[in-house]
């Protein structure tokens, strides 16, 4: 079970009230300067503060394909009318009087448009705990799409996070993480970013698109297809358009391969020697006896030996190239 290392934030930005800082229990502070410093640090680490946005650095891995979209402006307008209802979470930076964001990137982007300070929960967390908090809060507030989770998993693994941390961050089992990673490894990064998050498009559909990568150039087809669509086309519709175009191209290539190709082989003088036919199932060499009766007889007597020699030559060339 994933570790829930922070209180679940409300899902509705407009309807939820910002939590008040928990009152600090009165206690006798330690007499030493070091003990006093530790006690003050503990009080500070669990408070909500008003922080200037320019003191917060965009830190950590991206868990969204799109951060600056039209919904940021809608969120900014809501905050302009009603105020910030849900705090973001930050952790102290190595630089004095600066912070590194853990979660709430969209809220921070919106408040930077509105102006003023941002309400932030300050937590002293290490990299693993910060990543888990980021992933859990993101899942609770607005469930990321399959492909966004897949990219997040890929980035976490490449950054060196341990499997248990990745599973906790997204609330997935080991098999769930593997299912996401298998698909994302088959897809070009550029293709995913061209399409976008595609909410509602699941593992099977992305997997079907990935399977076409061996048959057609996915990125080239995607560029051509998306260039004809309006900029406001929803990401899920972009996926469907790209998938249909790639499937159509793949079927066309398969039909062409099934029909095959026949080439007339000629000698140095331009006279036909025979034909070479290639399709998806076989390769055939055909000699017409009426055109080359003597060559046809000669080849018939040596066909088996010649074919065997060609096969042995192929084996030797393959062996020397390995």
């Amino acid at each position: 079970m994933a570790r829930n290392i922070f209180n679940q934030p409300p899902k509705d930005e407009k309807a939820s009230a910002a939590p008040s800082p928990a009152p600090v229990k009165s206690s006798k502070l330690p007499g030493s300067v070091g003990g006093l410093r530790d006690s003050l640090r503990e009080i500070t680490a669990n408070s909500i503060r008003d922080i200037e946005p320019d003191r917060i650095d965009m830190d950590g891995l991206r868990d969204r394909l799109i951060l600056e979209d039209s919904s940021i402006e809608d969120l900014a307008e809501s905050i302009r009318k009603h105020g910030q209802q849900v705090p973001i979470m930050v952790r102290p930076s190595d630089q004095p009087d600066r912070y590194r964001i853990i979660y709430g990137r969209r809220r921070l982007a919106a408040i930077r448009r509105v102006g003023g300070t941002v309400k932030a929960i300050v937590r002293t967390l290490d990299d693993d705990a910060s990543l888990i908090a980021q992933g859990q809060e993101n899942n609770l507030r607005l469930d990321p799409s399959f492909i966004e989770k897949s990219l997040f998993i890929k980035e976490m693994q490449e950054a060196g996070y341990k499997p248990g941390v990745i599973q906790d961050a997204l609330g997935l089992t080991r098999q769930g993480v593997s299912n996401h990673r298998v698909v994302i490894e088959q897809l070009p990064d550029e293709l995913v970013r061209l399409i976008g998050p595609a909410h509602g498009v699941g593992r099977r559909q992305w997997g079907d698109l990935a399977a076409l990568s061996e048959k057609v150039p996915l990125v080239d087809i995607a560029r051509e297809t998306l260039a004809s669509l309006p900029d406001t086309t929803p990401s899920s519709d972009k996926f469907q358009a790209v998938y249909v175009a790639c499937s159509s191209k793949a079927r066309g290539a398969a039909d062409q391969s099934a029909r095959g190709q026949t080439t007339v082989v000629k000698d140095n003088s331009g006279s036909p020697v025979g034909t070479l036919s290639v399709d998806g199932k076989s390769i055939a060499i055909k000699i017409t006896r009426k055109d080359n009766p003597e060559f046809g007889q000669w080849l018939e007597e040596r066909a088996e030996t010649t074919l065997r020699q060609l096969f042995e030559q192929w084996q030797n060339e393959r062996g020397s190239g390995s």
Side-chain angles (χ1 to χ4, degrees):
M1 181 178 295
R3 291 173 282 164
N4 189 357
I5 64 173
F6 58 93
N7 293 329
Q8 176 175 338
K11 294 187 178 181
D12 189 345
E13 178 78 32
K14 298 181 180 179
S16 307
S20 302
V24 179
K25 296 181 181 179
S26 61
S27 60
K28 185 177 180 180
L29 294 175
S32 68
V33 175
L36 177 60
R37 186 187 303 115
D38 290 343
S39 297
L40 291 175
R41 184 181 295 118
E42 181 64 24
I43 293 171
T44 301
N46 292 281
S47 62
I48 296 179
R49 303 190 212 167
D50 290 320
I51 301 175
E52 293 293 336
D54 59 7
R55 287 164 52 195
I56 302 173
D57 298 320
M58 298 297 278
D59 186 48
L61 303 179
R62 286 283 297 270
D63 51 18
R64 301 278 182 180
L65 274 171
I66 300 175
L67 182 61
E68 295 291 338
D69 59 8
S70 59
S71 65
I72 296 292
E73 187 57 44
D74 294 339
L75 182 57
E77 183 61 26
S78 173
I79 292 174
R80 188 179 290 111
K81 290 181 179 180
H82 307 289
Q84 180 189 352
Q85 300 298 310
V86 179
I88 68 173
M89 181 179 283
V90 299
R91 56 176 172 163
S93 172
D94 295 336
Q95 302 297 321
D97 206 27
R98 295 198 66 80
Y99 302 88
R100 301 160 63 188
I101 193 163
I102 296 175
Y103 64 69
R105 288 162 176 75
R106 290 167 55 80
R107 275 161 278 170
L108 179 59
I111 291 171
R112 281 175 170 163
R113 295 189 182 188
V114 173
T117 58
V118 57
K119 296 184 185 297
I121 303 169
V122 180
R123 288 281 192 272
T124 304
L125 301 178
D126 61 19
D127 289 344
D128 285 359
S130 296
L131 187 76
I132 293 171
Q134 177 186 352
Q136 289 182 356
E137 197 269 355
N138 198 38
N139 283 338
L140 290 168
R141 290 191 55 77
L142 180 60
D143 192 33
S145 68
F146 171 84
I147 205 64
E148 285 181 310
K149 287 183 180 179
S150 300
L151 281 174
F152 195 27
I153 288 170
K154 181 180 178 181
E155 291 192 4
M156 285 188 284
Q157 290 180 330
E158 291 176 350
Y161 285 97
K162 296 179 179 179
V165 173
I166 297 173
Q167 292 169 39
D168 284 348
L170 291 174
L172 294 172
T173 63
R174 179 180 296 180
Q175 184 61 48
V177 170
S178 177
N179 290 342
H180 285 73
R181 187 60 196 263
V182 165
V183 174
I184 197 63
E185 285 179 341
Q186 301 177 68
L187 291 166
D189 286 346
E190 185 178 353
L191 174 72
V192 174
R193 300 188 187 283
L194 282 170
I195 294 174
H199 287 279
V201 178
R203 178 170 68 93
R204 182 184 60 79
Q205 293 163 291
W206 278 106
D208 289 345
L209 180 59
L212 296 175
S213 63
E214 298 180 356
K215 303 175 182 178
V216 293
L218 298 183
V219 174
D220 292 343
I221 297 173
R223 286 202 202 100
E224 181 182 351
T225 302
L226 298 178
S228 64
L229 299 179
D231 294 338
T232 56
T233 302
S235 179
S236 57
D237 291 346
K238 290 181 180 179
F239 174 90
Q240 295 299 334
V242 170
Y243 179 74
V244 168
C246 290
S247 297
S248 178
K249 291 279 188 179
R251 285 195 299 270
D255 291 343
Q256 179 64 31
S257 177
R259 286 194 296 269
Q261 180 177 352
T262 299
T263 303
V264 177
V265 180
K266 299 180 180 180
D267 62 16
N268 293 334
S269 66
S271 300
V273 174
T275 58
L276 175 65
S277 299
V278 180
D279 60 28
K281 296 181 179 180
S282 65
I283 300 173
I285 298 174
K286 183 178 180 181
I287 306 298
T288 305
R289 290 185 183 274
K290 70 175 183 177
D291 294 333
N292 293 285
E294 294 181 3
F295 175 62
Q297 181 64 34
W298 180 89
L299 182 60
E300 181 180 357
E301 294 172 354
R302 294 165 176 78
E304 291 186 18
T305 302
T306 302
L307 182 59
R308 190 176 299 110
Q309 288 174 344
L310 288 172
F311 183 74
E312 291 174 356
Q313 180 181 345
W314 168 76
Q315 286 184 313
N316 292 334
E317 291 177 358
R318 186 180 64 167
S320 62
S322 61

